[in-house]
Amino acid sequence: MVTVVTKLVHCFHLSRRYGQYTMNQETTQTKEKPPFDRSNSQDSLDELSMEDYWNEIDNIKKSSENRQDQEVVVVKEPDEGELEEEWLKEAGLSNLFGESAGDPQESMVFLSTLTRTQAAAVQKRVETVSQTLRKKNKQYHIPDVRDIFAQQAESKEKAPDGTESQSARTNENKYQGKDDQASSLVVGEKKLMPLVPEEAPASETDINLEVSFAEQAVNQKESSKDRTQKSKCNDVSLLSFRLPKDKTGTTKIGDLAPQDMKKVCYLALIELTALYDVLGIELKQQKAVKIKTKDSGLFCVPLTVLLEQDQRKVPGTRIPLIFQKLISRIEEGGLETEGLLRIPGAAIRIKNLCQELEAKFYEGTFNWESVKQHDAASLLKLFIRELPQPLLSGEYLKAFQAVQNLPTKKQQLQALNLLVLLLPDVNRDTLKALLEFLQRVIDNKEENKMNVKNVAMVMAPNLFMCHALGLKSSEQQEFAMAAGTANTMHLMIKYQKLLWTIPKFLVNQVRKQNTENLKKDRKTMKKLLKKMAYDRDKYDKQDRSTNDADVPQGVIRVQAPHLSKVSMAIQLTEELKASDVLARFLSQESGIAQTLKKGEVFLYEVGGNIGERCLDDDTYMKDLYQLNPNAEWVIKSKPS
């Protein structure tokens, strides 16, 4: 009896989805369609709970009936080689191929920091590009992958099941001495050792940021089948992932200098690709399209254009003003309103409000008092939906959608973390503002009846469906994707703090790059000093004596150029944190500086093996000093 009822409920929702509200012969035809594939990422969402999702789809269709489609011109779809060329460019490795190809030694420093799985991902793309260019008989330099990656003979030994043999792994350990998932990499004639920290034991709910996510996936795949199966079974019930404390401090997006953040983005793309490769998930760029967009206005305008408009009005703005105002208007009506975000405004009224906003918003004559709360919520969703390029970016939208296909929730979170790092700044900032707002809505779930699942299902269609990129899918495809994208949205809301964290293994790889570059720079400088007839030994001796006299052993000198107390020598202890250093400075300030509050100024790690890094309050200074002994320590405010 229960099975029959379940089937009837299933048919009812299918019939509603296709606009059929009676169980007639057409319903029978619907039942013949392939059944809904309930993958791992969908197990936590039952069919009855999907009603909010389908209602939102219906509301979107109604609101778009009178919408004038943007002009989309589909250009020639690039072949695989062209896609991989573009990938290598975005990964900062364009000098490995084509007209800009040069000596592979130029990429030596960057490649030396890659893990085994990251190196394999790069090697795979280089091979594809090489084959494509040879087929096209290009006259310019064609890379030979053997010139770039020369793998150890031992690493090629394979076990019968296709994995690397234990003897090969043992030989790798002999060279590495730490993480057994890292392999040595040979560029040209020089063997380079990737910097991969040893994996510390962690509970299933810990998100390990010290070891490459792709390497963790390899570890999991190589574990016993019973253990893997057990992990999959338990994965659905894991609801409280957490970040273990790191004594050297957690690094958030916005904490690094632009030059280091650029390196993080290169590495994040390679790491994401490696993770998808290991898990057998296809990661392809979106089909190339040309979209005719408006160069002014509010709706259907690219985020970058909006931001340029807004920054002329309010310098330093990072999130579109209309987006901020719509959120403010919703919150002014009270987040306790039942059905907030779920109940739509009237389609005709929304259309009229759009036209009025376009005409009056920047003039400051629009009457916000006339906008009802549910109308403001509908306008917010419309704004997101009508972006010429999706909020999750046209380039990576498919990768966001593919997250649902990853085997475990933890791997889904890891992929989302990397994808957020790859978003353009304005997309990332706007997404952050949206997720924080959605969390505030959920905080009032007792009154508004909108828990995280409800909100995720209402918002998923607005973020994951993009008419402008030719992603109009069939009804059956939408149904198959529904619970998966709702689950991805659920993870993004619930674990949003994790998404804005830069994994420590990526920061460590950047530190290694900077160290190697610094060594090269020092060699260059020494040659220059010789040519200029300086006594290098005398110079180095003077430099060392000056530094030794300035800062005694176990003491750091903290600079605060914008405060009245310009510098201070501070003794390092096991328990000294960044917050303690700030407190000592601020306690001695007078006048205007004395009014500075916590959160207005920060302690920065500058130079050494990092360009610049803002420290969180819980950073243990002695541990960080040991990681970067050549850094300077500066107190200042964050750039806007």
Side-chain angles (χ1 to χ4, degrees), residues 55 106 164 184 246-247 253 268 278 286-287 321 334-335 341 444 454 462 467 510 518 521 548 563 600 607 617 622 638:
N55 285 339
E106 291 179 19
E164 292 183 6
S184 59
D246 179 3
K247 283 201 161 189
I253 292 172
V278 168
Q286 176 55 40
K287 181 169 56 176
L321 295 176
L335 296 180
L341 296 176
N444 291 272
N454 299 134
N462 295 283
H467 64 275
V510 170
L518 194 59
D521 292 343
D548 291 343
L563 300 181
E600 291 182 359
D617 286 347
K622 189 171 183 179
K638 263 191 179 182

Side-chain angles (χ1 to χ4, degrees), residues 6 55 100 103 105 120 131 152 172 254 316 329 366 370 388 411 469 501 509 551 597 599 634-635 639:
T6 303
N55 285 339
S100 59
D103 186 348
Q105 296 287 326
Q131 292 166 7
Q152 294 293 325
E172 282 186 45
R329 184 59 190 155
F366 182 77
S370 66
Q411 288 165 344
L469 293 183
T501 302
Q509 286 179 290
V551 183
K597 299 176 183 176
V634 181
I635 292 177

Side-chain angles (χ1 to χ4, degrees), residues 547-558 568-573 576 584 621-622 625 629 631 633:
N547 289 337
D548 291 343
D550 191 30
V551 183
Q553 188 69 26
V555 174
I556 59 172
R557 182 164 294 284
V558 182
M568 181 185 291
I570 296 180
Q571 178 72 48
L572 291 173
T573 65
L576 182 72
R584 290 189 195 181
M621 297 305 299
K622 189 171 183 179
Y625 174 79
W633 313 97

Side-chain angles (χ1 to χ4, degrees), residues 329-441:
R329 184 59 190 155
I330 296 168
E331 293 187 324
E332 285 168 10
L335 296 180
E336 303 83 12
T337 305
E338 187 168 339
L340 190 59
L341 296 176
R342 185 177 65 225
I343 298 173
I348 295 176
R349 193 165 62 244
I350 298 301
K351 182 182 177 182
N352 292 335
L353 284 169
C354 280
Q355 293 173 349
E356 197 176 346
L357 277 166
E358 293 279 11
K360 299 179 179 179
F361 179 73
Y362 284 116
E363 293 178 1
T365 57
F366 182 77
N367 180 19
W368 282 100
E369 295 299 322
S370 66
V371 181
K372 298 178 181 178
Q373 192 182 34
H374 291 304
D375 291 346
S378 292
L379 286 167
L380 180 71
K381 291 187 290 184
L382 180 68
F383 172 85
I384 296 168
R385 215 165 50 239
E386 294 294 296
L387 288 170
Q389 295 285 345
L391 184 58
L392 301 179
S393 84
E395 194 173 0
Y396 297 112
L397 182 60
K398 278 193 170 181
F400 271 99
Q401 292 173 336
V403 165
Q404 62 181 298
N405 300 323
L406 301 183
T408 69
K409 291 286 194 300
K410 188 179 288 188
Q411 288 165 344
Q412 290 170 13
L413 275 172
Q414 290 169 339
L416 287 171
N417 183 199
L418 295 170
L419 281 164
V420 165
L421 291 174
L422 292 171
L423 289 176
D425 289 347
V426 62
N427 295 61
R428 192 193 299 128
D429 292 338
T430 306
L431 176 64
K432 187 173 189 288
L434 175 65
L435 294 180
E436 288 172 348
F437 162 68
L438 296 179
Q439 185 57 58
R440 293 194 294 272
V441 172

Side-chain angles (χ1 to χ4, degrees), residues 34 127 188 258 288 295 334 512 518 544 566 569 591 621 631 639:
E127 286 174 344
D295 55 7
K512 178 69 183 298
L518 194 59
R544 282 195 303 272
V566 230
M621 297 305 299

Side-chain angles (χ1 to χ4, degrees), residues 58-313:
D58 291 338
N59 293 333
I60 290 172
K61 288 188 174 180
K62 287 174 186 175
S63 69
S64 62
E65 284 175 358
N66 299 320
R67 175 180 53 78
Q68 188 174 6
D69 279 334
Q70 293 162 320
E71 185 179 339
V72 179
V73 181
V74 180
V75 299
K76 175 184 174 291
E77 190 167 353
D79 60 31
E80 188 176 20
E82 290 170 332
L83 287 173
E84 304 301 22
E85 279 188 36
E86 190 60 32
W87 184 93
L88 286 166
K89 286 178 184 176
E90 290 172 12
L93 294 168
S94 57
N95 69 321
L96 295 182
F97 68 93
E99 295 173 338
S100 59
D103 186 348
Q105 296 287 326
E106 291 179 19
S107 295
M108 181 185 295
V109 170
F110 182 84
L111 296 172
S112 71
T113 66
L114 301 185
T115 64
R116 182 183 64 174
T117 49
Q118 290 172 350
V122 174
Q123 182 171 348
K124 181 179 177 181
R125 274 77 199 168
V126 171
E127 286 174 344
T128 302
V129 171
S130 301
Q131 292 166 7
T132 305
L133 293 180
R134 287 193 179 93
K135 285 178 185 177
K136 292 180 177 179
N137 195 26
K138 293 285 186 183
Q139 296 304 310
Y140 53 78
H141 179 75
I142 300 173
D144 188 327
V145 72
R146 289 170 298 181
D147 295 336
I148 303 168
F149 297 99
Q151 300 295 332
Q152 294 293 325
E154 295 91 344
S155 68
K156 294 180 180 178
E157 296 177 17
K158 298 287 180 179
D161 62 353
T163 59
E164 292 183 6
S165 66
Q166 187 60 44
S167 62
R169 299 283 298 284
T170 304
N171 283 325
E172 282 186 45
N173 289 341
K174 179 176 66 176
Y175 295 112
Q176 189 61 22
K178 281 193 175 183
D179 186 85
D180 69 346
Q181 296 305 318
S183 66
S184 59
L185 184 67
V186 176
V187 183
E189 298 298 322
K190 184 176 179 181
K191 182 165 68 177
L192 302 161
M193 295 304 187
L195 180 70
V196 183
E198 186 174 1
E199 183 170 5
S203 72
E204 287 184 324
T205 55
D206 280 347
I207 300 295
N208 187 343
L209 299 182
E210 297 194 18
V211 178
S212 156
F213 298 152
E215 299 293 345
Q216 292 181 45
V218 170
N219 281 336
Q220 184 172 337
K221 287 183 74 173
E222 290 178 353
S223 63
S224 68
K225 185 176 179 181
D226 290 341
R227 182 180 167 188
T228 303
Q229 197 62 39
K230 181 181 177 184
S231 174
K232 282 188 175 182
C233 293
N234 290 342
D235 187 60
V236 173
S237 62
L238 294 179
L239 298 176
S240 298
F241 294 106
R242 67 182 185 88
L243 292 177
K245 287 286 184 182
D246 179 3
K247 283 201 161 189
T248 59
T250 301
T251 307
K252 298 285 186 181
I253 292 172
D255 286 349
L256 293 179
Q259 65 269 27
D260 283 340
M261 190 61 198
K262 190 174 182 180
K263 293 171 187 173
V264 166
C265 290
Y266 289 154
L267 290 164
L269 175 58
I270 296 172
E271 176 66 16
L272 177 71
T273 307
L275 178 63
Y276 276 49
D277 283 354
V278 168
L279 298 174
I281 305 297
E282 188 177 37
L283 180 62
K284 290 289 184 184
Q285 288 183 334
Q286 176 55 40
K287 181 169 56 176
V289 295
K290 287 183 180 178
I291 304 169
K292 193 172 183 179
T293 61
K294 295 161 59 179
D295 55 7
S296 63
L298 299 175
F299 296 88
C300 307
V301 178
L303 280 173
T304 50
V305 174
L306 267 175
L307 209 58
E308 287 172 7
Q309 287 178 175
D310 293 346
Q311 286 174 347
R312 287 195 288 268
K313 298 277 184 182

